[in-house]
Amino acid sequence: MGSSSGFGSGHDYSFKILIIGDSGVGKSSLLVSFISNHVDDLTPTIGVDFKIKHLTVGGKKLKLTIWDTAGQEKFRTLTSSYFRNAQGIILVYDVTQRETFTNLFEVWAKEVELYSTNQDCIKMLVANKVDKESERVVTKEEGIAFAKEYGCVFLECSAKTRANVEKCFNELAHKILEVPSLLEEGSTVVKNTILKQKQERQASAGGGCCS
Amino acid sequence: MKALRRSNTSSSSRASSSSQPLSWIHLRSLLIIASSTVPDRGNVKSPWSQRKRQRSALSRRYWNSLFAANGRLRDGGIKFLKKARNRGIDPSIRSDVWPFLLGVYDLNSSEVERNAVKVRKRIEYEKLRIRCRKISNYSNQENSLVTLDNIYSEAWLDLIEDPYSPKISEYGTSAFSLSLWSGNEDRPVYDRSPDGNSNLGGEDDHSVITHLDVFLAGTDSSDSDHSVEILRTGESYPKLTNSASLKVDNSNRTIEDFRTWQRIVRLDAIRADPEWVIYSPTQAGISEVAAKRYAKAVGLKDFDHLEPCMIYHASRLVAALEAYAIYDPEIGYCQGMSDLLSPILTVIEDDCEAFWCFVGFMKKARHNFRLDELGIRRQLAIVSRIIRSKDAHLYQHLEQLQAEDCFFVYRLVLVLFRRELTFEQTVCLWEVMWADQAAIRAGIGRSAWGRMRLQAPPTDDLLLYAIAAFVLQRRKLIIERYSSMDEIMKECNSVAGKLDVWRLLDDAHDLVVTLHDKIQLPLEIS
């Protein structure tokens, strides 16, 4: 459960990254694979959880707070409040399950549009489970086409073999560092993020669920 | 945190002797009170205090001694519930005891009555499974927007050999629906009339009752008395009302919904926590052939990487969770429910019995899984209220961090500490909680607890007091070191294996004693 680093370490920027996508696409596995260099079988995520990773990218010390969310609709009111002030959003699908890909159009892209608060926020599309090549039903071209349409960075990876896992987060961090407005957000105190996030959650409390 | 790392609770190591003379227990309680170093207990010692924990759990011998010759619990279950609540239950008799704790059997039932319930429940469960298969087959070939109601009707019509068939068509389709339950009731109520009265009727409305029951619960002629029995024993179904009085209609639950639940159930089943394995050697030792046969029967896939015992467990999860989704379509399946079911499957090896125990568990827990999140918000609001009443300083700090809504304990509430406690600890906590709830269900009030009258009365919300106690145990850390809700959430999500369940209960007891009259439960969270 523990993150690789504790709170309060020195860093130049602190960014909030959110991982979303259908249940079972491997969001938690992707995160654990990145944080702890190994992959265990993981139980389903309940609500939200987060881990912290310290990275040095382009000479800058970064603190990434990476939020892992539950994929099921039931948790969407809860998870939607975590979009606020995210500098990076990772949309994950499973290349062996077409439904998880089509739900990107039908559910997740809409969620991002509705709840993301920074227009410049970097979106990354991750096609997971490419180690199961024989079971693949979503082609790389389809992934690329989606990424192009929605302005996402695209990467195919495998949380299981760790292929492209580090690259995924590194590239996301690189992209964030290139955007002045995100840099500005990242250098402000994390507390503000929390406060705003909180307000958003309270605001959404009476709103019922979104579909 | 080190202080919390006490040894894990293990009731298996407790002696299984029968109870000690009450007078001695009472004397010892007084001695403990006198020598207590815990401040501010108001001279009320909890049954879960450190010294008392060493007493034996409910043993088989004691359990057996509680029954009269006709198999009825002699005192309506008071002694049983007290013992279970205070000391837990010996692991060897859990599978016998849980159906009583979870309301599958009435505490006043005789053995004959229980046998009848058993037979009926078995038929009912089988029917739910048949419906699951039917819907699975249907969804493979037909329009997935067909409502579950339609399918129920079809399945029902297919199966039925009902003596009252002339009236079937009146009730077989959408005339009656599973309605959203109104939210401020403690458990689903089995209504059979438009105005919600569920008292037993005479012969006049027999056909109506029967058909409603058949519609929901079962379909063959052996069930003709079924409805009456269900009503009499207070068995609960998701609220059933005439369409005329529907506020929210669940009949729009479609095959598509079921398919979604089914997909997620299967995903979750094959990634269940394997911790249960050491607690059920017989299930752990299942052969590969048998496990795969079971997997095939429930249509489980993608299990090649699993050990036979995990394939078997996953298959059992699928069977029960799918049946539950059909049984309670307002909730269907929500992630977290498999966490609640898994320990029950471990303890109770019979699928049908385990299913009905799960249904009993879900009577209260189902609120957590409502799509509108009202249930979980209500519970979080109670935790918040307890903290505010007990510790203004901590509450103020939470307010400053805008964390006073206690969303940081979301997971604790949703899966009742399952992710934070070991298997054995979880089961101990749940048993105590169930005993409290069973006492309330049975109308066993404060006076009936006799010697315990000075102690905390049973509460439906013991879990919430335990969660508040959990937060209060961390007050210093939270106030002095944490400056954001994230940090508190991190702490809450990182305590797996570090908790002492009896200390939690002991602290929760303290809160119940001092606050239970003050915590007005908000029925509506706006």
Side-chain angles (χ1 to χ4, degrees):
Chain A
M1 291 293 286
S3 61
S4 61
S5 311
F7 292 97
S9 313
H11 51 263
D12 300 318
Y13 295 102
S14 170
F15 295 126
K16 177 181 172 184
I17 314 287
L18 185 68
I19 309 180
I20 56 174
D22 274 9
S23 297
V25 295
K27 298 179 293 295
S28 305
S29 300
L30 191 69
L31 179 53
V32 170
S33 179
F34 177 56
I35 299 281
S36 53
N37 299 352
H38 65 87
V39 188
D40 295 322
D41 283 333
L42 299 168
T43 51
T45 305
I46 303 293
V48 292
D49 199 359
F50 72 93
K51 295 191 187 303
I52 290 172
K53 177 85 172 180
H54 289 262
L55 280 185
T56 303
V57 176
K60 304 285 185 203
K61 285 184 189 167
L62 309 183
K63 174 187 168 187
L64 301 184
T65 305
I66 309 169
W67 288 84
D68 183 18
T69 60
Q72 199 180 4
E73 186 188 2
K74 161 70 178 66
F75 299 106
R76 222 157 280 160
T77 321
L78 176 77
T79 55
S80 63
S81 63
Y82 290 87
F83 282 73
R84 186 173 269 267
N85 292 321
Q87 285 80 40
I89 298 177
I90 302 177
L91 297 104
V92 188
Y93 68 95
D94 172 356
V95 295
T96 71
Q97 300 290 332
R98 175 154 299 275
E99 202 178 339
T100 67
F101 182 66
T102 52
N103 274 342
L104 291 176
F105 299 86
E106 289 170 12
V107 176
W108 298 108
K110 288 177 190 165
E111 293 273 304
V112 173
E113 207 168 300
L114 269 174
Y115 299 111
S116 168
T117 54
N118 192 325
Q119 292 278 315
D120 299 328
C121 155
I122 306 295
K123 286 171 282 179
M124 175 163 248
L125 179 64
V126 169
N128 193 26
K129 307 197 188 178
V130 293
D131 54 288
K132 293 174 161 181
E133 190 55 41
S134 63
E135 295 169 46
R136 180 199 278 267
V137 293
V138 184
T139 65
K140 188 172 184 176
E141 288 69 30
E142 288 176 286
I144 291 170
F146 177 94
K148 203 175 256 180
E149 189 180 341
Y150 286 87
C152 304
V153 183
F154 178 69
L155 212 58
E156 289 204 314
C157 73
S158 164
K160 192 175 179 182
T161 65
R162 302 199 70 238
N164 274 347
V165 169
E166 298 220 2
K167 192 178 171 190
C168 163
F169 290 92
N170 279 319
E171 207 161 312
L172 183 61
H174 263 293
K175 294 280 181 192
I176 292 171
L177 285 170
E178 288 169 8
V179 181
S181 72
L182 299 179
L183 271 185
E184 198 182 318
E185 280 185 1
S187 56
T188 55
V189 186
V190 179
K191 232 189 244 178
N192 292 339
T193 313
I194 307 305
L195 292 182
K196 285 175 193 166
Q197 181 184 91
K198 180 70 196 349
Q199 284 154 1
E200 152 67 17
R201 200 177 57 232
Q202 283 179 334
S204 73
C209 68
C210 50
S211 55
Chain B
M1 196 65 75
K2 276 178 189 166
L4 300 177
R5 290 183 199 182
R6 301 183 185 185
S7 60
N8 289 348
T9 300
S10 172
S11 40
S12 58
S13 63
R14 292 182 213 153
S16 58
S17 62
S18 59
S19 70
Q20 301 169 42
L22 282 174
S23 56
W24 162 236
I25 292 172
H26 188 50
L27 179 61
R28 201 165 68 165
S29 310
L30 292 173
L31 289 171
I32 292 167
I33 291 167
S35 63
S36 171
T37 54
V38 183
D40 193 26
R41 296 276 176 181
N43 281 349
V44 177
K45 201 66 196 167
S46 96
W48 307 302
S49 61
Q50 203 167 3
R51 293 283 294 277
K52 293 189 179 183
R53 280 175 232 170
Q54 290 155 12
R55 293 179 189 166
S56 62
L58 175 68
S59 65
R60 182 172 295 283
R61 205 170 118 197
Y62 186 72
W63 171 243
N64 290 340
S65 76
L66 296 173
F67 288 90
N70 62 356
R72 216 181 280 276
L73 280 166
R74 278 205 195 85
D75 58 354
I78 295 175
K79 274 186 189 161
F80 152 53
L81 291 179
K82 271 191 192 177
K83 182 84 174 173
R85 181 197 197 230
N86 294 353
R87 329 279 157 79
I89 296 164
D90 190 90
S92 66
I93 56 166
R94 278 183 176 144
S95 60
D96 294 336
V97 176
W98 283 15
F100 289 85
L101 267 189
L102 288 164
V104 178
Y105 301 139
D106 195 287
L107 290 174
N108 287 308
S109 60
S110 68
E111 191 169 355
V112 173
E113 287 167 331
R114 288 194 295 275
N115 285 337
V117 170
K118 217 180 275 184
V119 170
R120 206 180 62 228
K121 294 281 187 196
R122 194 160 296 279
I123 294 168
E124 219 171 303
Y125 177 68
E126 283 311 318
K127 283 173 186 162
L128 287 167
R129 286 300 309 152
I130 288 170
R131 283 186 201 156
C132 291
R133 284 194 286 274
K134 185 123 188 138
I135 296 170
S136 297
N137 294 338
Y138 200 96
S139 63
N140 289 337
Q141 28 177 290
E142 309 284 344
N143 179 359
S144 62
L145 293 177
V146 171
T147 68
L148 287 184
D149 267 10
N150 296 141
I151 300 299
Y152 292 168
S153 313
E154 284 184 25
W156 169 55
L157 288 168
D158 284 357
L159 291 162
I160 199 151
E161 296 170 14
D162 192 284
Y164 312 103
S165 53
K167 290 206 173 183
I168 286 172
S169 57
E170 289 175 43
Y171 304 101
T173 55
S174 56
F176 291 85
S177 305
L178 297 164
S179 74
L180 182 71
W181 152 21
S182 56
N184 56 0
E185 298 164 47
D186 283 342
R187 51 188 173 140
V189 174
Y190 190 63
D191 281 355
R192 60 178 176 79
S193 56
D195 61 1
N197 291 333
S198 55
N199 57 317
L200 268 174
E203 285 296 309
D204 293 347
D205 53 359
H206 181 213
S207 58
V208 177
I209 302 167
T210 304
H211 285 102
L212 288 173
D213 291 333
V214 167
F215 177 69
L216 257 191
T219 56
D220 68 21
S221 54
S222 66
D223 277 357
S224 52
D225 289 325
H226 185 166
S227 55
V228 175
E229 186 65 19
I230 287 169
L231 290 166
R232 199 179 61 71
T233 58
E235 185 48 67
S236 64
Y237 281 88
K239 191 173 185 175
L240 182 71
T241 62
N242 188 302
S243 56
S245 65
L246 279 185
K247 286 184 184 143
V248 180
D249 190 347
N250 238 14
S251 61
N252 59 355
R253 287 297 201 189
T254 62
I255 296 296
E256 185 63 36
D257 290 318
F258 185 77
R259 277 178 55 194
T260 305
W261 296 330
Q262 203 173 37
R263 188 176 65 81
I264 303 172
V265 161
R266 282 149 199 246
L267 270 174
D268 290 356
I270 56 171
R271 48 184 177 155
D273 191 330
E275 193 198 353
W276 65 270
V277 171
I278 52 169
Y279 296 95
S280 180
T282 49
Q283 292 185 64
I286 191 164
S287 73
E288 189 172 346
V289 174
K292 286 189 172 169
R293 194 188 310 130
Y294 203 119
K296 194 179 171 194
V298 300
L300 188 73
K301 290 170 187 157
D302 301 322
F303 54 77
D304 293 341
H305 60 294
L306 296 177
E307 296 290 316
C309 64
M310 292 307 290
I311 297 173
Y312 178 60
H313 192 66
S315 307
R316 296 186 69 207
L317 283 167
V318 167
L321 290 170
E322 284 184 359
Y324 188 82
I326 296 293
Y327 174 80
D328 183 3
E330 187 205 342
I331 301 299
Y333 175 71
C334 178
Q335 291 185 305
M337 280 163 59
S338 58
D339 285 62
L340 303 190
L341 174 60
S342 184
I344 294 178
L345 293 182
T346 305
V347 166
I348 300 176
E349 298 193 0
D350 180 86
D351 281 4
C352 171
E353 277 182 32
F355 174 78
W356 290 110
C357 282
F358 179 62
V359 167
F361 190 5
M362 285 294 287
K363 275 176 198 164
K364 186 162 170 63
R366 70 189 288 282
H367 291 291
N368 290 352
F369 299 104
R370 286 167 55 153
L371 194 60
D372 62 14
E373 298 191 22
L374 277 180
I376 191 99
R377 284 179 194 282
R378 177 177 181 270
Q379 306 229 63
L380 291 170
I382 295 171
V383 174
S384 174
R385 208 167 281 208
I386 296 168
I387 294 170
R388 188 178 64 191
S389 304
K390 178 69 184 178
D391 191 335
H393 187 185
L394 173 62
Y395 189 79
Q396 203 176 5
H397 184 73
L398 293 177
E399 276 184 320
Q400 280 165 5
L401 305 183
Q402 298 207 342
E404 77 277 11
D405 61 10
C406 294
F407 263 69
F408 51 87
V409 294
Y410 187 96
R411 192 172 77 186
L412 286 173
V413 174
L414 195 80
V415 292
L416 301 96
F417 278 103
R418 181 64 200 97
R419 295 285 173 100
E420 284 69 31
L421 299 174
T422 64
F423 179 92
E424 182 60 30
Q425 288 178 319
T426 305
V427 165
C428 285
L429 175 71
W430 290 0
E431 284 172 342
V432 171
M433 188 185 76
W434 291 338
D436 256 22
Q437 291 168 3
I440 289 174
R441 226 173 23 238
I444 301 174
R446 198 192 278 217
S447 60
W449 291 78
R451 200 175 300 281
M452 289 169 59
R453 66 190 179 279
L454 290 176
Q455 298 181 356
T459 163
D460 246 345
D461 292 309
L462 185 64
L463 174 89
L464 304 179
Y465 285 94
I467 289 172
F470 165 86
V471 176
L472 289 162
Q473 285 173 357
R474 285 155 185 73
R475 71 180 302 278
K476 195 165 186 282
L477 193 66
I478 293 171
I479 292 170
E480 291 176 5
R481 294 194 49 196
Y482 294 162
S483 54
S484 73
M485 201 270 280
D486 292 14
E487 290 171 283
I488 306 174
M489 182 190 275
K490 192 83 215 159
E491 168 70 19
C492 294
N493 285 359
S494 310
V495 294
K498 298 176 188 170
L499 297 177
D500 177 334
V501 69
W502 295 109
R503 185 176 164 211
L504 260 184
L505 282 169
D506 193 28
D507 288 357
H509 176 272
D510 180 33
L511 292 173
V512 176
V513 168
T514 53
L515 298 176
H516 75 276
D517 289 333
K518 298 176 194 155
I519 305 294
Q520 293 299 316
L521 311 185
L523 294 176
E524 299 287 339
I525 303 299
S526 57

